[in-house]
Structure formats: structure tokens, C-alpha cells
Amino acid sequence: MGLFNKLFGKNKSYSKPQEPEHAVIVHFRYEMDSLDPLYQLEDALEKHINEEGVGEFDGHEIAVDLSDGFLYMYGTNAETLFKAVKPILEKSNLMKGAVAKLRFGPPEEGIREIEIKLPE
């Protein structure tokens, strides 16, 4: 390794391209008066996703009146990510009847998506 590389490291612009960013986005009805159950679910999802090494939990959006919301998770394979989180989602009363959208690539026109409804 040359002196320049030792001092400044390798040029990052030549690193290999990253995998496409897949997503699992869950739309759910909430209708509760506290966010505490949602925070508990998020903690469980984040911990499990990290332990499995299948992506990252990015957070949630929730309506001002707490009627419904979205959970956002990202990884290199939407199907693998969903398979990892599905048991946790199905155990949660908050996610009864929720719809998970699996997006197989970045948020662009024409990217393949499928929707899976969780049991009521």
C-alpha cells in the first residue's frame, strides 16, 4: 500500500455498488390513545431485525388522531426481511388486519411490489 493510501485511506468512490434498497412498509389501524404499545413493538422489531442481520428498522409515521400509521423497514431483500418480522407482526394485536407492502427495489416507477394482508 502506498504512502498516500496509508495516510488517507482508499478512495471510496471506487467501492462496489450497494444492493438495491428493498422495503417492507406496513400500513396498520391503530386507534389507541397511547403510543407506548407501538414503541414496544418497534423495539422488538428493531432488535430482531438487527439480530437476524436482514436490514434495518427505520421508524413509523402515525396519524395525528392515532387512527392509523405505517412502519418502515429496509434491507437488501424484501422477502427475507418480511419473513424475519412476520412472526412478530402476527403476534401483535396492533397489527391485526395490517397490510405489508414488499417493495423489491428503490422507490421508483415500475419497481415490483406485492401486498400481504396479516390475519385479523
Side-chain angles (χ1 to χ4, degrees), residues 2 12 21 28 38 59 81 100 108 117:
K12 300 283 185 194
E21 188 173 81
F28 59 94
L38 180 59
L81 177 56
E108 297 174 353
K117 186 170 182 181

Side-chain angles (χ1 to χ4, degrees), residues 3-96:
L3 180 60
F4 183 78
N5 285 340
K6 285 182 183 178
L7 293 174
F8 299 106
K10 290 187 176 184
N11 187 339
K12 300 283 185 194
S13 65
Y14 292 105
S15 64
K16 77 176 192 177
Q18 289 196 347
E19 295 286 325
E21 188 173 81
H22 290 203
V24 174
I25 302 169
V26 182
H27 182 216
F28 59 94
R29 299 190 89 149
Y30 196 66
E31 301 175 342
M32 299 186 82
D33 56 1
S34 167
L35 290 176
D36 290 339
L38 180 59
Y39 293 144
Q40 291 172 355
L41 174 61
E42 287 181 326
D43 288 345
L45 288 168
E46 184 170 29
K47 180 180 178 196
H48 189 68
I49 290 168
N50 289 337
E51 286 174 351
E52 295 294 314
V54 293
E56 68 177 304
F57 180 81
D58 192 41
H60 72 269
E61 286 182 345
I62 191 116
V64 175
D65 65 357
L66 303 181
S67 61
D68 72 324
F70 295 87
L71 298 174
Y72 297 94
M73 296 162 269
Y74 300 98
T76 58
N77 185 305
E79 189 174 2
T80 301
L81 177 56
F82 181 69
K83 284 180 182 178
V85 299
K86 184 180 177 192
I88 294 170
L89 296 172
E90 289 180 338
K91 285 181 190 175
S92 172
N93 288 331
L94 304 176
M95 296 294 118
K96 301 292 183 203

Side-chain angles (χ1 to χ4, degrees), residues 22 79 101-106 108-114:
H22 290 203
E79 189 174 2
K101 181 189 300 185
L102 282 63
R103 187 186 72 218
F104 297 92
E108 297 174 353
E109 188 74 31
I111 295 296
R112 186 169 75 98
E113 296 180 341
I114 60 171

